[in-house]
Amino acid sequence: MQVRQIAIFLENRSGRLADITHTLAKNAINIRALSLADTADFGILRMVVSDTDRAAKALKEDGFTVGITEVTAVEVPDKPGSLDAILQVVNQSRLNVEYMYAFTKQSGETGLLLFRFDNPKTACRAFAEAGFKLLSDEEVHQL
Amino acid sequence: MIWNEENETRPREELEVIQLQRLQAQVARVYATVPYYRQKMDEAGVSPGDIRKISDIRRLPFTTKEDLRQNYPFGLFTVPMERIVRIHASSGTTGKPTVVGYTKRDLKLWAELMSRTLSAAGVTSRDIVQNAYGYGLFTGGLGAHYGAENLGCAVIPISGGNTKRQIQIMQDFGTTVLLSTPSYALNIADTMADLGVDPASLKLRVGVFGAEPWSENMRSEIENRLKIKAIDIYGLSEIIGPGVAAECLEEQRGLHIMEDHFLPEIVHRDTFEPLAVGEEGELVFTTLTKEAFPVIRYRTKDIARLIPEVCTCGRTFYRMPKVTGRTDDMMIIRGVNVFPSQIEEVIMGVEGVEPHYQIIVTRQGSLDNIEVQVEVSEEVFSDQIKNLENLSKRVQGSIKDLLGITCKISLVEPKTIQRSEGKAQRVIDRRKI
């Protein structure tokens, strides 16, 4: 079970991030979660948004390099030790985390972890066996 | 000081008589010994007997780097291998290198011309000469070496690199003359500053610099920082190597062309029509006395003009200004000849990379840097940093394999590299040469 995210290439140039958010705002697209990866020379913005296809189309039209990729979304209780429990499973299953980001739905209730694994199928199986709840694309986008 | 007073100060009319005799003999010999030249002359409908005055040279076909490449490696040699005693080759980044050969007499001539060059820079047999031109296939190192020895100098054949050791030797041996590329001289100055060595405490008094374009600004910088006189010399391996033209210490204005051995012409950079003395265009040389590897009307692609006024130093040869321009888009980066088309080829060879790129050349301190900007298309874009970094590394590695130069690769957003409507401006040279 995978969730679709959009990834956007960011040249190391001032104002580019604001250009992206402006495009999204113009098109009334809501950002559910985001993470920004940066290197000395460029960055990659990854986001889960309310309408993936419309967001990708709008951004492409405004000249951005956009990719749609899939990540694994795991729901955990918003309390100390939750991330640790997940990462223990990741470690035991010898999974490689390419990157991850997290957000809470509402403080004190549940948190959502978004993972990019090199082998998502194995990851899903491991999480299911360990009793974690994986969220579908629909579930995440309707949050 | 003038090394060869008789030949370097000969009245123009006498010089031209000698030039014509040598030109006629050279053309006849090349026609008789090199099938490639004979064929080209036959096709142009010209025979050695048609050269009755110097200006008849215009009837002869040009020779280009492409001709040399087609005859790789030894096709244009006029003598059998048993008479060749030395072989050099150019940095040759465009396909095959250009290979040049020398007979014993050629080497003697070369040493003579480099002795003239060094004498013009005020170097004498009392000098201790540190030769930091690269030794090897490059003509700079050995060319300068034998000239300095022939002059009677104490030569330190240190070659390029190992800058701290260069400075140590300057201090310990009391070096008075430095031979190197101008950019390396600046590198030495930088290193001296880092080490806290005061150039004024050294015996160094003159530097003889060539093999790459450099400006008057750079000359001032080298002179101020190293506390020396900086002399410009010109040469290219296809003609003989260093020793084709040289500045004098008295004027440091214009390089005296060794016209008794190399006949210069200036031609229009697009039509290749001969231009009058004083007009600017492409510099073309015919070697008048070389044995193993003579060239007829070799197009250097360097931009220059001829200065006919006799110099205060007494030399009667025409002079040429410092060469700072080229007719093609060749760049000289850290001493390596680089054509943008080569970088283009590499970029096109990397899967998924857009055919839009820009090359930005900068000079940091004394080092040239190349940045290659490449657009990231959707096909190569990835949500993972490592994939994009791998892409950069692939491009960088391929360029390094081909040119031996490490470039900085910058990934930029699509359509951010300026699209031109005519000829794309692929290179932005920000070096202040």
Side-chain angles (χ1 to χ4, degrees):
Chain A
M1 201 171 349
Q2 297 283 289
V3 173
R4 298 203 308 155
Q5 70 165 11
I6 57 176
I8 304 145
F9 178 74
L10 267 178
E11 197 180 311
N12 190 357
R13 195 149 50 94
S14 64
R16 287 313 273 163
L17 193 53
D19 293 340
I20 294 178
T21 52
H22 188 66
T23 297
L24 295 179
K26 255 187 340 202
N27 289 279
I29 286 160
N30 205 351
I31 302 170
R32 302 289 185 211
L34 70 81
S35 94
L36 181 60
D38 65 300
T39 71
D41 301 313
F42 64 89
I44 299 173
L45 179 67
R46 302 150 185 147
M47 294 187 290
V48 174
V49 295
S50 54
D51 189 333
T52 310
D53 293 321
R54 211 156 53 77
K57 187 166 172 278
L59 287 165
K60 276 183 201 176
E61 277 169 7
D62 283 355
F64 290 97
T65 307
V66 183
I68 296 179
T69 47
E70 293 186 330
V71 287
T72 307
V74 192
E75 194 179 77
V76 293
D78 181 16
K79 63 171 199 209
S82 292
L83 178 59
D84 179 57
I86 289 267
L87 290 178
Q88 293 308 323
V89 174
V90 168
N91 193 24
Q92 279 154 24
S93 314
R94 297 179 185 281
L95 290 164
N96 261 331
V97 180
E98 300 293 347
Y99 58 81
M100 68 158 290
Y101 52 112
F103 66 103
T104 52
K105 279 198 289 188
Q106 203 171 12
S107 189
E109 286 186 9
T110 52
L112 196 65
L113 303 172
L114 298 158
F115 285 98
R116 176 78 143 101
F117 290 111
D118 55 353
N119 191 343
K121 274 188 187 155
T122 317
C124 288
R125 212 178 306 126
F127 286 140
E129 278 168 19
F132 288 103
K133 188 188 174 197
L134 298 177
L135 294 189
S136 70
D137 190 50
E138 227 169 40
E139 284 171 305
V140 171
H141 287 97
Q142 282 168 1
L143 288 176
Chain B
M1 205 201 99
I2 296 176
W3 175 254
N4 189 330
E5 186 107 29
E6 186 191 349
N7 283 309
E8 293 182 73
T9 62
R10 204 186 288 279
R12 185 102 215 141
E13 312 76 66
E14 284 178 34
L15 172 68
E16 287 179 0
V17 171
I18 292 172
Q19 283 180 322
L20 178 60
Q21 285 168 355
R22 290 180 171 175
L23 176 65
Q24 288 169 327
Q26 183 80 287
V27 172
R29 207 167 64 83
V30 161
Y31 186 84
T33 53
V34 184
Y36 188 81
Y37 276 120
R38 182 161 56 237
Q39 193 193 333
K40 278 186 76 167
M41 283 170 63
D42 286 345
E43 280 167 13
V46 57
S47 71
D50 294 329
I51 309 299
R52 295 192 187 90
K53 50 188 188 299
I54 289 176
S55 60
D56 287 335
I57 195 172
R58 296 168 185 185
R59 302 187 55 185
L60 298 169
F62 289 108
T63 306
T64 63
K65 210 175 184 77
E66 187 50 38
D67 292 312
L68 307 193
R69 215 169 281 141
Q70 278 182 30
N71 288 280
Y72 176 87
F74 307 141
L76 295 179
F77 287 12
T78 63
V79 297
M81 278 320 272
E82 64 193 59
R83 290 198 54 210
I84 301 281
V85 295
R86 176 91 66 74
I87 293 166
H88 281 286
S90 74
S91 46
T93 50
T94 42
K96 289 169 181 164
T98 12
V99 181
V100 295
Y102 301 78
T103 62
K104 274 187 188 167
R105 211 184 80 179
D106 288 334
L107 288 186
K108 220 178 133 197
L109 168 67
W110 195 11
E112 147 84 19
L113 296 178
M114 275 311 290
S115 297
R116 290 186 189 180
T117 294
L118 294 169
S119 292
V123 180
T124 72
S125 60
R126 288 183 298 281
D127 277 302
I128 298 173
V129 174
Q130 187 158 331
N131 187 13
Y133 284 112
Y135 281 67
L137 280 178
F138 171 54
T139 50
L142 287 174
H145 179 101
Y146 283 99
E149 266 187 16
N150 187 48
L151 184 57
C153 308
V155 184
I156 307 166
I158 191 164
S159 195
N162 207 341
T163 312
K164 283 182 186 168
R165 187 154 156 256
Q166 300 265 4
I167 295 166
Q168 185 73 50
I169 282 181
M170 277 180 194
Q171 291 176 307
D172 296 350
F173 294 8
T175 302
T176 55
V177 178
L178 172 66
L179 312 182
S180 74
T181 59
S183 61
Y184 191 59
L186 273 185
N187 194 343
I188 291 175
D190 289 345
T191 311
M192 279 187 192
D194 290 346
L195 296 174
V197 174
D198 178 10
S201 70
L202 301 174
K203 293 206 172 113
L204 203 62
R205 59 178 184 82
V206 66
V208 180
F209 304 119
E212 61 186 19
W214 55 307
S215 61
E216 286 300 333
N217 289 338
M218 191 158 168
R219 191 207 301 268
S220 311
E221 197 176 337
I222 293 173
E223 292 194 332
N224 291 334
R225 294 185 55 192
L226 285 177
K227 310 279 182 265
I228 58 171
K229 282 281 185 187
I231 301 293
D232 189 21
I233 64 171
Y234 175 85
L236 59 170
S237 62
E238 295 91 325
I239 305 304
I240 197 163
V244 176
E247 280 181 344
C248 58
L249 187 65
E250 292 90 331
E251 289 285 337
Q252 287 181 292
R253 206 166 54 201
L255 291 83
H256 301 267
I257 302 169
M258 309 294 177
E259 279 190 281
D260 50 342
H261 295 283
F262 310 113
L263 189 71
E265 289 176 86
I266 301 290
V267 300
H268 191 279
R269 53 189 297 173
D270 300 317
T271 65
F272 312 125
E273 286 301 315
L275 296 177
V277 169
E279 285 187 84
E280 191 180 83
E282 182 175 348
L283 183 59
V284 172
F285 277 112
T286 299
T287 63
L288 296 175
T289 53
K290 262 177 80 195
E291 285 186 331
F293 185 81
V295 284
I296 304 292
R297 302 193 85 198
Y298 183 73
R299 280 181 41 207
T300 64
K301 301 201 173 180
D302 286 323
I303 299 288
R305 65 192 161 82
L306 298 177
I307 305 169
E309 290 78 24
V310 174
C311 185
T312 56
C313 72
R315 290 176 182 81
T316 50
F317 296 146
Y318 283 167
R319 282 172 290 161
M320 55 185 253
K322 285 176 84 61
V323 170
T324 49
R326 300 265 309 166
T327 62
D328 58 10
D329 48 6
M330 187 180 89
M331 306 173 282
I332 302 181
I333 311 286
R334 298 180 210 162
V336 178
N337 299 347
V338 177
F339 289 89
S341 55
Q342 296 175 296
I343 292 178
E344 177 172 312
E345 232 178 272
V346 170
I347 292 171
M348 303 305 169
V350 178
E351 208 178 318
V353 175
E354 293 279 327
H356 303 290
Y357 64 93
Q358 199 155 43
I359 300 164
I360 297 165
V361 191
T362 52
R363 184 168 279 172
Q364 252 178 3
S366 54
L367 253 196
D368 293 336
N369 289 310
I370 308 191
E371 177 187 342
V372 180
Q373 295 187 337
V374 180
E375 288 188 358
V376 175
S377 66
E378 264 177 43
E379 293 79 66
V380 293
F381 176 59
S382 161
D383 60 320
Q384 297 181 40
I385 296 275
K386 66 174 181 191
N387 293 348
L388 291 183
E389 285 186 337
N390 279 343
L391 173 72
S392 287
K393 279 186 201 143
R394 273 209 320 274
V395 176
Q396 191 181 44
S398 311
I399 294 175
K400 169 118 198 192
D401 285 346
L402 183 72
L403 302 175
I405 292 175
T406 305
C407 301
K408 172 183 158 48
I409 308 297
S410 293
L411 300 177
V412 299
E413 290 171 12
K415 302 188 183 66
T416 52
I417 291 172
Q418 198 190 342
R419 308 291 200 262
S420 76
E421 300 186 340
K423 203 168 177 246
Q425 201 200 352
R426 295 303 198 190
V427 181
I428 298 175
D429 200 335
R430 296 210 180 109
R431 292 179 295 180
K432 291 186 184 76
I433 292 176

